[in-house]
Amino acid sequence: MEKRLPLFMLLAVGILVGSQLLMHWINPPKPVGKQADKGKGTVAVVQSTATIAAAQGTGTVAVAQGTGPTVATIGENVSAVPSEPDPKLPEQFVTLGSLDPQQPYRMLVTITNRGAAVVRAELNQARFRDQDDEAGYLGHLLPVDAKGGARVQVVGPGTPAAVAGLKVDDVITAVGNESVSGAADLLDKVRKHRPRENVDLAVLRSGQKLTVTAALIRRPLELIRPEWETSPVDLLSPSTKHDPLSMLLTLSQAGEEKIESTQQELPGVGLYDVNWEITDRGPDFVELSRKLPQRKLTVIKRYQLAEVPAESIGNQQFKAYHVMVGIEIRRDDDTPIEVAYQLSGPNGLPTEGWWYLNKISRGWGGAGMRDVAVHVEGRGPDLIPCKTVAEETKTGKPTFWDKEPLAYVGVDTPYFSAILIPQKKIGEKWHRRIDAVGVGTLPRDPNDRRHNIRLTNVSCKLTSETTTISREKPLKHEYQLFAGPKQRDLLSQYGPPKETDSINLAELIYYGWQPWAACAMILAHVLHFFYSFLGNYALAIILLTVMVKTCMLPLSRKQALGAQKVQELQPEMKKISEKYKDDLEKKTKALQDLYRKHNYHPLSGCLPMLIQMPIFIGLYKALAIDIELRQAPLISEGFGWATNLAAPDKLFRWDAFMPGFVVSHVGPYFNLLPILTVGLFIWQQKMFMPPPADENAAMQQKMMKYMMIFMGYMFFTVPSGLCLYFIVSSLWGIAERKLLPKAAAASAAAMPASTVIDSKVESPAAARRRKRRNKG
């Protein structure tokens, strides 16, 4: 036995190391620190706002370092293209909607006139908060350095900054008693404070000094955001880097001039990197235009945020999680011309849960945190993992669709999606080609935890069919940009305009293989039902566990009685093992005869575990997919621990002092519930496992103990809701075994060994009669 233990340990370590090597092979780290050969993914850093003009060559990754949005992406072919004269318009930001959930909007959208792009979209419901950022939130002010502090460029309606009275062009000089030296310093000082704290801000407004008090809140979920190397960017200034912004538009054809690459602009067009004119605006809409005098064209883009009627503000399923995006290309003379446009989709979606969530892919291989979701008519829904998108974009051979009409395309995450839906008739083909593209880069340090291809920022590019336009007949297309949670009742309302409901966004919710999907959906419905009258999903999970254990009571009781019978048979089993220790065949036959004689089957205890397996897998999938369970607290959100049953409980951060390899395997937090779960498993095993009858049984029990430790590693990042299920289930099992009548065991203890192994165990009543006869 002692020789087998080291062998088992060696085998376990080999399995662990082998699994890590396999994962390394599946997701190899990207090389960093060296410039690749030309044509193989060179990294070119562009220092000025003329992003495209500075990066040349084949397969270049152009990264903007200026104020404007970057234009190039992984694997781009970028040529120097001089823009038409800039009208010298200043960069301006426009906000649509409000962060106040009592206002008739579901989100706050920030738009810049630089490229007429979407900077950010923040959901305003309290149940959709950022799960990674625990600092206080003042609002995305997009500050820039100013003399004596930081100048505010944006004040979104409904944000703590707006409620406190901050205004655009205010210069914040101090936060509390700490002076502010610049924009980055302002963000750092605000982040020192927690949600629900009141913070005094010293402000300089038109030469006047004043103080405003802001009540910080928890950071809202940003469904679209600027980012760099997979991390969010809060500053858009000449000194900061960021990936291309969302919803950029350019021309892919004007007359005889065409571009073949999805990453270039036509010479002299320059729609990406110039400031458009804001021609009209309101609380929930903005119109921007850009004249191209050399081509006698005017390009117009309109954004209109959906509004919620007053009577439906409390209805979270009301169809208002979208922005209508209008594109118009006008001819400014009487000569017709052929034109086509290229529209970039949304990007910068949240990566929350990347270190513990495993998204389900529709095909072979795992999905990433942000994947391209597409539905072309006649082919059905598809999901392109971000890993595939990144690798194909780098090689210059992206996945694309060019045959069938497009129903929708966008970016999908485990709980949220941002999807473009062309507002056209079924069968109408607007697009010559749709590409899945990767944008931005991973962190350059391979030891950075976010250097993970599953976090690649992805998007889509839509290239329109060529259309002949004239002064009287402009090109007009409209898209519906859905940006919201993956709630089935909500998603089912979104889809291409049609006479049939066969295509809608509800198909984005995918549970995987149908039997497991059915289990997950049934359990999700049961949990929602319990929540409807309990008001807490943790209590709903406990009630679900009690319901399951109650239904399984006959089986679990049979399992417990079987375990007691094994304890009773231990002496005889030991005798058989000693008698036939050198003859395995005879020993096996004798044990089978013994089990048959006492009506016991060794595998009878496996049936309850097999029945619970679909429940375990279904609950795991429900927690990983159902948006209603995200941000559902164990106790309450204000308690500060286990505030999300769909995530590990995150008792405290330990990445600051734990070795990097530990953090890379089990995450940046210490989680208590998995430790309690495994501890109960070990305790339950120690309490009820019978003593070993022979050397092999002792070895098996030792192996089980080590397997429990390995299970602790595997359980360390499972959702806290799943741990809660196992904790309640284990406590129920312990109580059930403790309360089980021990009559058989008691009578067995009072009888000689020969009686114990008789054909049947003597009942308590028969034992009493036998005792009376013996006394008589």
Side-chain angles (χ1 to χ4, degrees):
M1 179 179 70
E2 296 303 326
K3 292 180 180 179
R4 296 177 191 171
L5 182 59
L7 181 62
F8 165 74
M9 293 297 296
L10 183 63
L11 181 62
V13 171
I15 292 173
L16 183 60
V17 172
S19 66
Q20 295 304 315
L21 289 175
L22 180 62
M23 291 305 296
H24 183 84
W25 177 73
I26 294 173
N27 295 319
K30 291 183 176 291
V32 295
K34 294 183 179 180
Q35 190 178 51
D37 295 333
K38 185 177 180 180
K40 296 182 180 179
T42 306
V43 177
V45 179
V46 183
Q47 300 289 343
S48 68
T49 57
T51 309
I52 304 179
Q56 301 184 43
T58 304
T60 304
V61 181
V63 179
Q65 207 164 347
T67 57
T70 59
V71 179
T73 60
I74 300 173
E76 295 182 1
N77 183 358
V78 185
S79 301
V81 284
S83 300
E84 293 191 1
D86 191 340
K88 304 301 180 185
L89 293 168
E91 183 172 14
Q92 296 173 277
F93 296 92
V94 178
T95 57
L96 309 181
S98 173
L99 205 63
D100 182 357
Q102 299 305 313
Q103 295 299 312
Y105 308 105
R106 291 290 185 240
M107 65 187 81
L108 172 65
V109 181
T110 304
I111 293 169
T112 175
N113 70 330
R114 192 166 194 82
V118 174
V119 177
R120 202 181 308 272
E122 306 167 75
L123 301 185
N124 62 13
Q125 288 80 43
R127 59 193 299 262
F128 300 137
R129 297 302 188 192
D130 192 300
Q131 295 298 298
D132 296 328
D133 193 337
E134 300 174 353
Y137 171 83
L138 177 62
H140 287 290
L141 309 178
L142 295 179
V144 293
D145 295 340
K147 184 178 180 180
R151 181 172 62 85
V152 175
Q153 293 191 100
V154 178
V155 179
T159 62
V163 174
L166 276 178
K167 296 183 178 179
V168 173
D169 290 329
D170 281 353
V171 176
I172 299 177
T173 59
V175 177
N177 296 323
E178 298 181 291
S179 60
V180 172
S181 60
D185 189 46
L186 170 63
L187 297 181
D188 290 340
K189 286 182 168 51
V190 171
R191 287 185 61 82
K192 292 180 181 178
H193 298 272
R194 309 293 293 176
R196 294 181 291 275
E197 281 189 37
N198 291 329
V199 177
D200 292 331
L201 304 173
V203 175
L204 187 63
R205 180 182 299 166
S206 302
Q208 301 292 319
K209 293 183 179 180
L210 63 151
T211 300
V212 299
T213 301
L216 303 183
I217 63 172
R218 191 173 172 186
R219 183 167 178 158
L221 182 86
E222 300 163 50
L223 199 47
I224 297 174
R225 67 187 182 188
E227 66 176 51
W228 174 249
E229 294 185 344
T230 74
S231 295
V233 172
D234 292 329
L235 294 174
L236 292 179
S237 68
S239 61
T240 57
K241 305 174 185 178
H242 62 85
D243 295 342
L245 298 181
S246 298
M247 307 306 296
L248 290 168
L249 175 71
T250 190
L251 296 181
S252 59
Q253 179 177 349
E256 297 297 323
E257 294 181 282
K258 298 180 181 180
I259 57 174
E260 298 301 327
S261 170
T262 58
Q263 285 80 30
Q264 294 187 77
E265 290 200 271
L266 289 172
V269 171
L271 294 178
Y272 281 163
D273 205 37
V274 296
N275 297 331
W276 294 38
E277 181 183 1
I278 299 176
T279 54
D280 196 7
R281 62 187 295 182
D284 54 15
F285 75 92
V286 63
E287 180 181 280
L288 308 101
S289 67
R290 167 75 171 155
K291 287 187 175 296
L292 305 174
Q294 293 181 13
R295 291 175 173 78
K296 297 180 175 57
L297 294 171
T298 299
V299 182
I300 299 172
K301 188 188 281 190
R302 301 181 182 91
Y303 294 99
Q304 174 76 55
L305 179 63
E307 188 172 348
V308 184
E311 65 274 11
S312 300
I313 288 179
N315 179 12
Q316 297 299 317
Q317 308 300 327
F318 186 84
K319 184 182 177 181
Y321 286 90
H322 64 271
V323 180
M324 301 306 296
V325 183
I327 296 171
E328 182 176 352
I329 304 175
R330 296 176 180 172
R331 183 61 166 163
D332 295 334
D333 70 3
D334 297 326
T335 307
I337 186 174
E338 290 186 332
V339 297
Y341 65 82
Q342 194 172 88
L343 177 65
S344 299
N347 72 77
L349 273 72
T351 59
E352 64 177 35
W354 66 271
W355 53 277
Y356 61 84
L357 272 178
N358 290 301
K359 192 172 168 214
I360 301 171
S361 174
R362 287 184 177 271
W364 294 103
M369 294 307 298
R370 301 180 283 196
D371 306 309
V372 175
V374 63
H375 188 131
V376 292
E377 295 175 22
R379 295 179 59 180
D382 199 2
L383 192 70
I384 314 302
C386 64
K387 176 187 174 184
T388 302
V389 174
E391 292 173 345
E392 291 180 346
T393 308
K394 184 176 179 180
T395 61
K397 298 178 180 179
T399 299
F400 66 91
W401 301 264
D402 60 355
K403 303 294 184 185
E404 299 87 357
L406 175 69
Y408 65 76
V409 65
V411 184
D412 180 63
T413 74
Y415 297 112
F416 302 91
S417 294
I419 305 292
L420 277 172
I421 308 170
Q423 300 300 285
K424 63 179 184 61
K425 296 178 181 178
I426 288 288
E428 187 177 0
K429 193 170 185 291
W430 276 8
H431 306 97
R432 180 175 64 85
R433 173 170 168 150
I434 303 103
D435 290 80
V437 295
V439 296
T441 59
L442 297 178
R444 303 192 178 203
D445 181 3
N447 297 316
D448 191 314
R449 290 191 310 110
R450 297 186 70 86
H451 186 92
N452 189 321
I453 200 167
R454 293 178 67 240
L455 299 179
T456 301
N457 191 9
V458 301
S459 187
C460 54
K461 294 264 189 178
L462 289 74
T463 304
S464 73
E465 296 279 10
T466 300
T467 304
T468 301
I469 66 169
S470 62
R471 189 189 296 271
E472 296 78 19
K473 189 179 178 182
L475 169 63
K476 291 184 178 181
H477 281 174
E478 189 175 42
Y479 296 85
Q480 189 177 63
L481 173 59
F482 169 81
K486 291 167 65 174
Q487 294 171 317
R488 187 173 297 276
D489 292 342
L490 175 66
L491 292 176
S492 62
Q493 302 176 59
Y494 285 93
K498 54 193 180 305
E499 294 77 24
T500 174
D501 293 329
S502 59
I503 302 175
N504 61 65
L505 296 190
E507 60 195 22
L508 293 173
I509 302 175
Y510 181 66
Y511 284 93
W513 188 46
Q514 193 58 40
W516 299 136
C519 292
M521 287 187 283
I522 291 171
L523 288 177
H525 284 303
V526 171
L527 289 175
H528 298 334
F529 171 71
F530 289 156
Y531 177 80
S532 65
F533 59 85
L534 292 174
N536 183 284
Y537 274 107
L539 294 177
I541 290 174
I542 292 173
L543 188 55
L544 171 69
T545 311
V546 172
M547 183 185 75
V548 170
K549 299 298 288 186
T550 302
C551 293
M552 292 180 57
L553 194 58
L555 287 175
S556 57
R557 185 175 185 277
K558 186 176 180 180
Q559 180 189 28
L561 291 173
Q564 285 187 358
K565 186 170 290 188
V566 170
Q567 289 182 333
E568 296 166 12
L569 297 177
Q570 281 295 315
E572 187 67 15
M573 292 167 63
K574 189 172 182 180
K575 287 180 182 179
I576 291 174
S577 297
E578 291 175 354
K579 183 176 180 180
Y580 301 110
K581 62 181 178 180
D582 297 325
D583 194 333
L584 180 61
E585 185 177 348
K586 288 184 177 180
K587 183 176 75 171
T588 303
K589 187 177 182 305
L591 287 174
Q592 288 176 349
D593 291 340
L594 179 66
Y595 296 152
R596 195 178 303 110
K597 181 179 180 181
H598 292 276
N599 196 26
Y600 170 73
H601 196 287
L603 298 180
S604 60
C606 298
L607 186 59
M609 290 189 291
L610 291 175
I611 292 176
Q612 287 189 85
M613 187 61 68
I615 298 172
F616 161 68
I617 295 176
L619 184 58
Y620 178 81
K621 287 181 177 290
L623 288 166
I625 296 172
D626 196 313
I627 184 71
E628 303 298 337
L629 299 174
R630 176 195 173 273
Q631 204 176 315
L634 177 65
I635 301 173
S636 70
E637 188 175 338
F639 190 68
W641 171 64
T643 57
N644 183 5
L645 290 174
D649 59 276
K650 299 191 285 190
L651 183 63
F652 61 84
R653 290 193 73 104
W654 66 355
D655 53 338
F657 56 86
M658 289 297 288
F661 75 91
V662 174
V663 176
S664 65
H665 282 84
V666 296
Y669 290 89
F670 173 80
N671 306 311
L672 177 61
L673 291 181
I675 304 297
L676 295 177
T677 302
V678 176
L680 281 172
F681 285 167
I682 294 173
W683 183 32
Q684 195 173 10
Q685 178 185 350
K686 188 174 181 180
M687 286 178 66
F688 303 120
M689 183 172 286
D694 55 20
E695 185 176 312
N696 288 332
M699 180 61 188
Q700 289 175 3
Q701 291 188 12
K702 277 195 174 183
M703 289 174 63
M704 285 294 293
K705 290 179 181 178
Y706 290 114
M707 286 304 294
M708 287 295 178
I709 297 173
F710 182 71
M711 188 180 292
Y713 164 74
M714 299 296 292
F715 261 64
F716 200 73
T717 56
V718 302
S720 52
L722 193 61
C723 287
L724 180 62
Y725 171 82
F726 279 113
I727 288 171
V728 176
S729 181
S730 296
L731 291 173
W732 178 286
I734 291 171
E736 188 179 85
R737 292 289 295 272
K738 287 289 188 182
L739 296 175
L740 191 71
K742 297 183 175 60
S747 60
M751 290 185 294
S754 59
T755 308
V756 173
I757 59 171
D758 200 0
S759 60
K760 288 191 177 180
V761 177
E762 190 177 24
S763 68
R768 287 193 294 271
R769 288 194 297 269
R770 180 177 52 79
K771 287 181 180 180
R772 285 196 297 269
R773 286 196 302 268
N774 292 339
K775 287 181 180 179

